[in-house]
């Protein structure tokens, strides 16, 4: 893991925090930031000492979308690389396929690709007062990065159509009501998200959490029977693991768990 130009990276209590760090531009997304976030998330995913990842923004915003100051509307954009249609092959699929749970801490305004990044995360918290917009339709663009697939599954088809077609700005409270993100007070927001992430990282079996994340991802394209059969096969494998034995032992002994991930 190299030093970073547009993000910061820190670890505490088995939680890695990736902070988008262009506060003077409301953390507007750039190609540099995209590479650095992927590098940091993949490094955290490969680190056995890290059990959860938080993505957040520096300053007043989470991510205001693509940095439009770097876009020349009259210039033909570079061709989009052909990644094929595989679910795991897309530009931001590394967030979905990371073995670690990823939590978006939406500390302020979020728009466009910034919202897409948050939607790729497993769990989202939003600070009271933060504003949310898909933005694309008001820039002459369509729903990018799979947002037209993600949003209906998260908040329902009609709500997704509303937010995508109007690109209207909604407040954090409406985002919470829609089920897009969980509302938390703005005061001590980052500390509250970290406490949640640290509890997940230290009280849940990392082996179980990684498999549950995969179950949730695969279930979107499985029949119910397939999902049940997958679960039954995984349960049989669980019974011979250190984490299962520790899960029973710490419950009976009324002490904090000491999961190894094995």
């Amino acid at each position: 893991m190299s030093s970073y130009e547009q993000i910061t990276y820190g670890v505490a209590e088995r939680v890695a925090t990736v902070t988008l760090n262009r506060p003077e531009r409301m953390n507007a997304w750039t190609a540099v930031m995209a590479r650095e976030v992927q590098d940091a998330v993949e490094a955290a995913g490969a680190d056995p000492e890290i059990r959860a990842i938080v993505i957040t923004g520096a300053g007043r915003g989470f991510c205001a979308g693509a940095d439009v100051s770097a876009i020349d509307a009259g210039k033909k954009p570079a061709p989009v690389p052909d990644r094929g249609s595989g679910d795991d092959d897309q530009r931001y699929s590394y967030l979905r396929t990371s073995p670690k749970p990823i939590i978006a801490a939406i500390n302020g305004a979020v728009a466009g690709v910034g919202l897409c990044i948050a939607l790729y995360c497993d769990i989202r918290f939003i600070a009271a007062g933060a504003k949310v917009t898909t933005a694309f339709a008001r820039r002459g663009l369509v729903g990018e990065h799979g947002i037209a697939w993600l949003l209906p599954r998260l908040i329902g088809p009609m709500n997704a159509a509303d937010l995508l077609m109007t690109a209207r700005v909604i407040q954090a409270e409406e985002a919470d009501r829609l089920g897009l993100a969980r509302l938390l007070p703005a005061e001590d927001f980052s500390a509250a998200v970290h406490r949640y992430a640290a509890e997940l990282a230290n009280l849940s079996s990392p082996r179980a959490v990684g498999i549950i994340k995969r179950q949730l991802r695969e279930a979107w394209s499985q029949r119910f029977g397939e999902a049940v059969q997958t679960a039954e096969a995984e349960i049989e494998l669980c019974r011979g693991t250190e984490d299962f034995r520790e899960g029973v032992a710490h419950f009976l002994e009324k002490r904090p768990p000491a999961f190894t991930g094995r």
Side-chain angles (χ1 to χ4, degrees):
M1 187 168 54
S2 59
S3 59
Y4 295 120
E5 178 185 345
Q6 295 186 2
I7 69 169
T8 64
Y9 181 91
V11 179
E13 298 182 281
R14 292 176 168 167
V15 177
T17 299
V18 178
T19 304
L20 312 183
N21 192 33
R22 301 182 71 220
E24 73 287 354
R25 297 290 301 166
M26 294 290 284
N27 303 315
W29 196 255
T30 68
V32 171
M33 184 179 284
R35 289 193 299 270
E36 292 184 348
V37 170
Q38 181 168 359
D39 181 83
V41 168
E42 290 180 345
D47 187 339
E49 298 303 312
I50 292 171
R51 296 185 178 181
I53 302 167
V54 172
I55 300 178
T56 192
R60 297 182 298 109
F62 178 79
C63 177
D67 189 346
V68 294
S69 68
I71 298 173
D72 182 348
K75 183 179 179 181
K76 186 176 180 180
V80 177
D82 182 8
R83 296 181 175 84
S85 60
D87 289 353
D88 297 347
D89 300 326
Q90 305 312 307
R91 184 180 302 181
Y92 300 119
S93 288
Y94 68 88
L95 296 164
R96 299 178 69 236
T97 59
S98 170
K100 310 294 170 66
I102 303 179
I103 300 163
I106 305 170
N107 56 301
V110 61
V113 65
L115 180 58
C116 293
I117 295 300
L119 297 181
Y120 273 85
C121 296
D122 302 295
I123 298 167
R124 286 163 296 282
F125 291 99
I126 189 166
K131 296 179 180 180
V132 179
T133 176
T134 58
F136 300 117
R138 296 192 183 187
R139 303 290 180 271
L141 298 170
V142 300
E144 289 188 292
H145 312 305
I147 194 172
W149 188 92
L150 288 164
L151 261 186
R153 288 162 172 80
L154 294 170
I155 64 173
M158 187 185 73
N159 289 326
D162 169 28
L163 297 189
L164 283 167
M165 291 179 178
T166 69
R168 64 187 181 89
V169 176
I170 65 170
Q171 301 292 325
E173 292 73 15
E174 184 173 358
D176 179 76
R177 290 196 300 273
L178 290 172
L180 192 151
R182 292 181 180 175
L183 181 67
L184 288 175
E187 186 176 1
D188 296 325
F189 173 74
S190 296
V193 176
H194 180 81
R195 285 194 297 272
Y196 175 93
E199 183 172 308
L200 189 163
N202 289 282
L203 299 184
S204 294
S205 156
R207 181 184 183 279
V209 168
I211 293 171
I212 289 168
K213 175 167 178 171
R214 176 168 55 78
Q215 284 180 289
L216 289 168
R217 182 174 73 249
E218 292 177 349
W220 286 23
S221 60
Q222 285 178 322
R223 292 181 294 105
F224 176 67
E226 292 174 325
V228 171
Q229 291 301 306
T230 296
E232 294 296 333
E234 291 292 351
I235 282 290
E236 286 303 310
L237 294 174
C238 284
R239 297 187 190 282
T241 66
E242 291 180 16
D243 274 10
F244 174 68
R245 290 192 291 273
E246 174 61 14
V248 174
H250 88 83
F251 176 76
L252 295 176
E253 296 167 14
K254 296 180 173 56
R255 59 170 174 78
F259 291 118
T260 63
R262 297 189 291 273

